[in-house]
């Protein structure tokens, strides 16, 4: 399947805007505690998601951003609260991938719950595979092998193919 960058961006945006996991979490909460349960029976964690979003906007999207300026969108949930922004979902997934960050560390900065962060990561990785598997995430063909062997040879590593840890070196 071929995707241009606009189509890929739209797919990722759709993925990040998907609030179905929030709805599912609310359903599970209601199944466990009942819709009319008292607040003493349940413990809600106020993550101050708006502050997490504001921190991200200040770092990346303000007039004088700490990092590069981008665009973002956000939605409102069924209770009228601002939901997690696509930026928060994307940042959570990227931090876990790029830094090997735990969900707790992502929660501290982005203000996103464990199950939501994991779901964002799964959806992001699934979409990356869908978009890039045919070209980049496939078994190398003969042309690929020859090109990679030539690159290795040019860099002083003749016969080098597939060694990440260099364990076969003499």
């Amino acid at each position: 399947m071929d995707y241009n960058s606009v189509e890929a961006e739209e797919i990722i945006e759709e993925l990040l805007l998907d609030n179905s996991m929030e709805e599912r979490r609310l359903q599970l909460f209601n199944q466990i505690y009942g819709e009319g349960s008292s607040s003493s029976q349940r413990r809600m964690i106020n993550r101050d998601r708006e502050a997490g979003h504001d921190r991200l906007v200040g770092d990346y999207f303000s007039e004088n951003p700490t990092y590069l300026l981008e665009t973002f969108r956000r939605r409102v949930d069924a209770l009228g609260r601002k939901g997690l922004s696509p930026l928060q979902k994307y940042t959570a997934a990227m931090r876990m991938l790029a830094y090997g960050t735990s969900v707790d560390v992502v929660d501290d900065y982005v203000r996103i719950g464990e199950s939501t962060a994991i779901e964002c990561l799964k959806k992001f990785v699934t979409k990356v595979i869908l978009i890039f598997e045919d070209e980049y995430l496939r078994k190398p063909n003969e042309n690929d092998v020859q090109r990679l062997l030539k690159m290795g040879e040019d860099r002083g590593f003749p016969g080098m193919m597939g060694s990440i840890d260099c364990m076969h070196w003499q």
Side-chain angles (χ1 to χ4, degrees), residues 43-109:
R43 182 174 174 272
M44 298 295 289
I45 298 172
N46 180 3
R47 288 191 168 80
D48 195 6
R49 62 174 68 158
E50 292 82 5
H53 176 78
D54 291 342
R55 181 180 306 112
L56 286 169
V57 171
D59 284 349
Y60 297 97
F61 304 100
S62 65
E63 281 188 26
N64 298 310
T66 306
Y67 305 103
L68 298 176
L69 182 64
E70 299 285 338
T71 59
F72 66 95
R73 290 170 42 181
R74 61 182 177 253
R75 292 201 173 183
V76 176
D77 69 10
L79 299 175
R81 298 179 306 155
K82 290 180 183 174
L84 294 165
S85 69
L87 180 61
Q88 286 171 290
K89 294 175 182 181
Y90 172 77
T91 300
M94 292 305 295
R95 281 181 172 255
M96 286 188 286
L97 284 172
Y99 306 126
T101 303
S102 71
V103 176
D104 292 335
V105 173
V106 172
D107 182 16
D108 287 346
Y109 184 68

Side-chain angles (χ1 to χ4, degrees), residues 19 22 32 53 103 134 137 144:
N19 285 324
E22 288 291 322
I32 294 168
H53 176 78
V103 176
D134 292 341
L137 304 175
D144 295 330

Side-chain angles (χ1 to χ4, degrees), residues 4-17:
N4 65 36
S5 62
V6 173
E7 289 171 325
E9 188 174 306
E10 288 173 358
I11 289 170
I12 291 171
E13 183 175 306
E14 179 184 322
L15 159 77
L16 296 173
L17 289 175

Side-chain angles (χ1 to χ4, degrees), residues 1 23 30 33 36 42 50 62 73-74 97-99 109-110 114 117 132 143 156-157 170:
M1 215 177 266
E23 293 169 15
N30 288 335
Y33 296 106
R42 60 182 176 217
E50 292 82 5
S62 65
R73 290 170 42 181
R74 61 182 177 253
L97 284 172
Y99 306 126
Y109 184 68
V110 183
E114 177 181 359
F132 296 107
N143 291 336
F157 298 98
Q170 298 290 324

